[in-house]
Amino acid sequence: EGFSASPEAAAAAADLRAALKADAAKALDEKFFPAPIFDVAREHEGVFERITDIFRRFPQSPGRLDRLPRAGAALAGRLGAVSARTFVLVGERDEEERLRSAKAIAAGIPGAELAVVPETSRFLHVEESRAVMRKLTDFFLPEPEIER
């Protein structure tokens, strides 16, 4: 919340929400899975199939799509109040708006670290799980604290 989407992205999201409400399985196959956000996953053997299987097994509740924005200040405006040690991960080949949001989140939280994982999309944890785990381990257990 608090990060604006382009008119094109907002229209595509609204179209997808409407299609998911009408027929979730059909919307996944005809609108969601063909989307460019899956291009990187398609480049890795078996990854796209793994992701689509997850979406098919755990469909979203249609009511979730109608949630109203939270009352009060947008979450983006409250980032400066975060005092927890924070690590923001984003895929280098994710949508431009998501990259921009991740950078803004990391910049808005005092002391936050940003990691842009090369050659990954929003599914970086599936596409390059070892690289993501290494980055998380390095963040949570810095070198002096662990034996390698």
Side-chain angles (χ1 to χ4, degrees), residues 2-132:
F3 296 98
S4 58
S6 70
E8 296 82 14
D15 182 49
L16 179 59
R17 282 193 302 274
L20 285 167
K21 283 176 154 182
D23 183 342
K26 183 178 176 183
L28 287 174
D29 288 333
E30 294 180 2
K31 293 188 176 284
F32 191 55
F33 296 144
I37 64 169
F38 292 100
D39 288 351
V40 177
R42 285 187 195 91
E43 294 170 10
H44 298 277
E45 186 177 335
V47 171
F48 177 71
E49 292 76 15
R50 216 168 132 200
I51 293 169
T52 57
D53 183 54
I54 291 167
F55 277 98
R56 286 189 175 104
R57 280 190 290 148
F58 304 104
Q60 298 293 323
S61 163
R64 178 184 163 276
L65 301 172
D66 292 326
R67 72 176 186 210
L68 297 172
R70 293 186 175 114
L75 297 179
R78 298 170 39 203
L79 292 172
V82 174
S83 61
R85 192 162 169 245
T86 304
F87 190 47
V88 180
L89 283 164
V90 66
E92 173 191 52
R93 291 178 55 192
D94 202 342
E95 296 169 307
E96 191 59 40
E97 290 175 1
R98 284 180 166 263
L99 284 164
R100 194 172 54 251
S101 295
K103 290 173 184 175
I105 289 167
I109 298 173
E113 293 182 36
L114 172 68
V116 179
V117 181
E119 294 303 312
T120 61
S121 69
R122 74 174 61 189
F123 305 106
L124 62 155
H125 59 291
V126 178
E127 295 162 353
E128 292 293 340
S129 57
R130 286 194 171 120
V132 169

